[in-house]
Amino acid sequence: MPRHTLLSTAILAGVLTASASAQAQSQTVRVGWASHLPRAHDVGTVYAASCGEVNYELKVSRERKTVTLVRSNGPDVDLSATTVGARLLDEDVLAHVGFNCPMNALNIFLKGVKLVDLGVPQGFRDVISVGADGQPGKSEPRDARVDELAVARTGTGIIPSAAERDRRACEGVK
C-alpha cells in the first residue's frame, strides 16, 4: 500500500476515534499538507529600464529588506531607506512602478495602495530621482485618492452597461 494512503488512513482513523469518544464536546483536528519540494528562498522582484546607453534594474528583496538600483554605468544605489524603498518593502502595499529619463538621471515613480486591516485602502504616489552620479534625490511622497489611481490605458474604450448592451443587441448595433 502506498505511503500516502497509509497516512490518509491513519489520519481518518484518528479523526473517527476522536469524534466517537468526544460526542459531548467538539474538537478541532488540523491536518497539515505541504509539498515535499523545498521552498525558494531570496525571492525578489526586478524592474528594468533603459535610458539611452544606461541600463537600470530596480531589485526589491523583501527577505533581505533591501531595494537596490543597479546601474550599468556605475555603482549600485541603495534606496532601502527612502520612502520609495519602504513602500516597495511593505508587505501590505500594492504598487505600480514607472520610470522616465530626464537628462543624466532616472526618475522612479510609484502609485499604489496600502491595504489596511478592516479599513479602507489608502492611496499614495511617490517619486525619487537618481542622478548620473548615483546620488538619490529627496523622495516626494503624497497621499492620493484610490479612485484617482486607475487611469484608462491608451486604446481602451468604455464598457457599456448590461441595459445598454441589451438595447444595442435589439437594434442590431455593435
Side-chain angles (χ1 to χ4, degrees):
M1 188 178 279
R3 183 177 180 194
H4 68 280
T5 304
L6 288 173
L7 178 62
S8 299
T9 305
I11 291 172
L12 182 57
V15 170
L16 292 176
T17 303
S19 64
S21 66
Q23 292 176 359
Q25 60 183 355
S26 69
Q27 293 182 350
T28 302
V29 177
R30 291 190 181 182
V31 178
W33 201 266
S35 171
H36 66 282
L37 299 174
R39 288 188 58 210
H41 58 0
D42 201 19
V43 175
T45 304
V46 177
Y47 302 92
S50 295
C51 295
E53 300 295 318
V54 183
N55 297 316
Y56 297 94
E57 287 185 344
L58 184 63
K59 295 184 176 186
V60 180
S61 173
R62 287 185 174 159
E63 189 170 305
R64 290 191 209 167
K65 299 183 181 359
T66 60
V67 176
T68 306
L69 181 66
V70 178
R71 306 176 309 142
S72 65
N73 69 338
D76 298 350
V77 180
D78 184 10
L79 298 175
S80 305
T82 66
T83 57
V84 169
R87 291 198 197 265
L88 290 171
L89 292 172
D90 190 336
E91 295 280 338
D92 295 329
V93 166
L94 304 173
H96 172 75
V97 179
F99 302 94
N100 73 11
C101 308
M103 293 182 62
N104 298 322
L106 176 73
N107 288 335
I108 303 169
F109 297 92
L110 295 183
K111 68 177 179 178
V113 293
K114 165 93 169 128
L115 304 176
V116 179
D117 286 339
L118 303 174
V120 177
Q122 300 169 343
F124 67 86
R125 292 181 182 271
D126 206 342
V127 62
I128 192 167
S129 183
V130 179
D133 59 357
Q135 293 300 313
K138 184 177 178 190
S139 56
E140 300 174 24
R142 61 185 167 105
D143 293 336
R145 289 183 23 188
V146 174
D147 62 341
E148 293 176 351
L149 295 173
V151 178
R153 301 204 186 274
T154 305
T156 59
I158 297 172
I159 300 172
S161 67
E164 180 66 16
R165 287 192 305 268
D166 291 343
R167 184 188 66 75
R168 288 181 180 183
C170 289
E171 296 175 358
V173 178
K174 290 186 178 183

